Amino acid sequence: MTRRAPIDDINEDNLVVKKPKKSAAGVEAVAVALERGIAQAGVGRTAKALLRLNQRDGTDCPGCAWPESQGHRKTAEFCENGAKAVAEESTLRTVTPAFWAEHSIEELATKTEYWLGNQGRITHPMVIRPGDTHYSQISWNAAFELIGEQIRATVPDRTVFYTSGRTANESAFLYQLFARSIGTNNLPDCSNMCHESSGSALNPTIGIGKGTVSLEDLHQAQLILVVGQNPGTNHPRMLSALKECKDNGGKIVAVNPLPEAGLFNFKDPQSVSGLIGDGTALSDEYLQIKVGGDLALFQALGHLLLEEEERVPGSVVDAEFVAANTQGLEDYRAARKSIDWAETEKATGLNVLQITTVARMMADSKATIICWALGLTQQPHSVNTLKEIINLLLLQGNFGKPGAGACPVRGHSNVQGDRTMGVWEKPKEAMLAALDTEFGINAPREHGLDSVDTIAAFENDDVDVFVAMGGNFVLAGSDTVALETAMQRVGLTVHVSTKPNRSHIMHGRTSLILPTLGRTDTDDKHPGGRQVLSVEDSMSVVRTTQGRLDPVSEHLLAEPVIVARMASATLGEDHVIDWKAMADDYDVIRDRISRVIPGFQDFNTRLKTKNGFVLPNPPRDTRSFATDIGRARFTVSPLEYLTPPPGHLILQTMRSHDQYNTTFYGLDDRYRGISGGRRVILIHEDDVTELGFTDRDMVDVISTFRGEERRANEFRLVVYPTPRGCAAAYFPEANALVHRELVARESNTPGYKAMSVRFIPHETVPA
């Protein structure tokens, strides 16, 4: 049974705006989840997929990286948006060669990502060559031969291997091994565009680029700060953990520019109170901070905590922990000795009482967790902002004890695992040496290109081959117009994909689309039968994932098989590495991983245990910090915040409740009350008036950066309770406004939440 794809694309004239919701989940979330699944895949297929989702020996959700309980798991161990992600992947809609024959590139270029993604799963390998107007079918053998020929015809550093966070551990390990066997560290990934700032802040301060808490820590925390994050949409299962914290007597502080429903109330659809009651109130305090004002807030909190410690010695600072494990407190104390409250209020949009109240809550807490997401990682001063979080946690000894620690909440479901497996353009020597020893290769030592650097390399004609393991690079990246133009200069683009997307349309001179199995698909075309993959969640737990659904096409290949066959076609069947052995049996891959990646010893055996296994985390496990000084590090940063030119606002990007990254499930941003359209600017009522506009005016948006402008047309202003001076628009539509050089220092993460924009009336061009 094949379900029909939508014929109509987005019509922005259908925009409907209602009042924002004040609670997340509930009965409506259940109804929407089931409706989307049945519409895409039917009742039986949907039930089969969802009942195994996030269960032991089941399928890890292809959505976010939130962890599963190590104890009892519910029958429905998924959220609304996880169900939507499964519906997208398990769909019975198919994109056959006939689709590509019917639709030219010129026509497909006029379609939105919503229309493209809703067409269904790609069934056959496809190719488009110079002069072609349409993709056409190609055999797998011919596709791999073409890839091998093109890579051998160039030099290693003119090849780039991009990775999406959906890629499982075994696939990611093979992928980086292939790139390094060729001779390049050009391994940009989606981490470059999201939590790269987190790693850049955490590694030098606490010695590990990951969070230091478990799911159980969230339940036990006395205080949780949820900062720059919208859990109700982006990590809905986190709401259950926050509810348990509240049930156990903990308190929650939400810090975010937009008053998101999931920060305030959770109606647990698996409880009576969630279905028919008022739900659970979450945030005890809500700080509606200005975009980019978080560094000033954390510095003010540090000032107040040290002030209280001076007033009552021993009441705040964990002196024993600090003395035994840290360096730099006195410099930090001196920097926070004084504060300019007027400037702090200007930077944050908060008043002294609001900040003092939260400081009191922190002083009273003996176990604090600070969670954050992309609201903190995508501004020029992001790394310093996150270092200030670490300062606060170090001050009170909030590492290595129950209910305490740093919690960067990752996005895509294995984005952390991909980095653990070595997908990084700046690999550490220890890993490269281990690869050399295990595989008999000479891995390159020179650092490669990250995602932003890759755009410049495209423009400079420095890339001959671009391979994308999942993802949608042209829409996920910054500076959309420049990126789309530059991508088309590449000699060969290769996309390992499940569904059509914009990157297939803005292709290189020659382009391949290689259709792959998804998480929910059975992977059983191997000599030894069905194979199992593994993933790492946001809290460093490694567990199995295996699909149970029949693939929609017999022509799909698993990601490890695709990588191995690319490698064999490029490097030769007699290469020192036996790629076929690893493609045939994923246990072989895991055995090799166990000898290369720290923490994965006896990988195959430990993976088969009930809950998988937890990777070592020295700050959490032993209160030890593997920095260059062998201690955790207090740091000192100057006060910095975003100051737009006169007549401009600071614009941040955001996701709709009906999307995940560049995938649009639908057009209903239910919690914010926006449906039917996506090209909107959320803006404070007073800013609309001051700038000379009215609610629902159609405008063109112009961003300014270092004297250069970027422009995106036809956005509708929507009055919304944003902070004064701040506005919000959907990702990826607003990415065209992000100059590629607007990045976070140190991490090079695009400044998706740091744009200075102004508006001009949109003028309709006569037909």
Side-chain angles (χ1 to χ4, degrees), residues 524-568:
D524 57 4
K525 294 181 179 179
H526 300 266
R530 179 180 293 173
Q531 297 295 304
V532 173
L533 293 164
S534 67
V535 293
E536 177 186 345
D537 66 32
S538 198
M539 295 177 185
S540 302
V541 180
V542 179
R543 54 156 292 192
T544 61
T545 180
Q546 55 183 315
R548 300 287 185 174
L549 301 181
D550 293 334
V552 295
S553 168
E554 64 180 7
H555 302 286
L556 309 184
L557 294 181
E559 287 181 346
V561 175
I562 292 174
V563 177
R565 290 185 64 179
M566 283 195 293
S568 293

Side-chain angles (χ1 to χ4, degrees), residues 325-403:
N325 298 288
T326 75
Q327 179 175 301
L329 173 61
E330 292 312 312
D331 288 342
Y332 176 69
R333 191 194 304 271
R336 300 282 75 79
K337 181 71 174 177
S338 62
I339 187 170
D340 184 332
W341 279 112
E343 187 167 19
T344 298
E345 290 184 335
K346 177 183 176 184
T348 63
L350 307 171
N351 60 50
V352 176
L353 178 60
Q354 290 175 291
I355 299 173
T356 303
T357 299
V358 174
R360 182 71 265 164
M361 295 170 72
M362 295 187 72
D364 291 341
S365 171
K366 302 305 179 185
T368 298
I369 292 173
I370 302 181
C371 303
W372 70 89
L374 306 194
L376 298 193
T377 65
Q378 297 176 332
Q379 294 141 2
H381 54 290
S382 284
V383 175
N384 285 349
T385 297
L386 300 175
K387 287 179 178 178
E388 292 291 355
I389 287 179
I390 299 304
N391 288 337
L392 295 176
L393 293 172
L394 290 174
L395 200 62
Q396 295 185 276
N398 281 309
F399 288 97
K401 65 182 183 181

Side-chain angles (χ1 to χ4, degrees), residues 518-646:
R519 285 272 180 88
T520 56
D521 294 325
T522 300
D523 182 6
D524 57 4
K525 294 181 179 179
H526 300 266
R530 179 180 293 173
Q531 297 295 304
V532 173
L533 293 164
S534 67
V535 293
E536 177 186 345
D537 66 32
S538 198
M539 295 177 185
S540 302
V541 180
V542 179
R543 54 156 292 192
T544 61
T545 180
Q546 55 183 315
R548 300 287 185 174
L549 301 181
D550 293 334
V552 295
S553 168
E554 64 180 7
H555 302 286
L556 309 184
L557 294 181
E559 287 181 346
V561 175
I562 292 174
V563 177
R565 290 185 64 179
M566 283 195 293
S568 293
T570 302
L571 300 167
E573 298 290 344
D574 58 350
H575 188 252
V576 64
I577 297 173
D578 189 345
W579 299 96
K580 186 177 185 300
M582 292 190 282
D584 285 347
D585 184 353
Y586 300 169
D587 280 356
V588 176
I589 306 175
R590 287 186 282 269
D591 282 340
R592 310 301 290 264
I593 291 172
S594 70
R595 295 189 287 270
V596 173
I597 308 295
F600 283 82
Q601 63 273 13
D602 204 13
F603 190 178
N604 275 304
T605 300
R606 295 164 70 206
L607 189 64
K608 293 179 175 69
T609 59
K610 181 178 179 181
N611 292 314
F613 60 94
V614 183
L615 293 173
N617 191 300
R620 179 193 63 209
D621 301 339
T622 59
R623 283 192 152 187
S624 56
F625 303 89
T627 65
D628 58 337
I629 57 173
R631 287 171 167 256
R633 179 184 275 111
F634 283 93
T635 55
V636 175
S637 301
L639 176 60
E640 186 176 354
Y641 53 97
L642 302 173
T643 54

Side-chain angles (χ1 to χ4, degrees), residues 56 68-73 215-216 537 541 610-612 614:
R56 295 180 178 90
E68 281 70 57
S69 170
Q70 298 295 289
H72 172 72
R73 295 188 188 175
L215 185 59
E216 290 69 28
D537 66 32
V541 180
K610 181 178 179 181
N611 292 314
V614 183

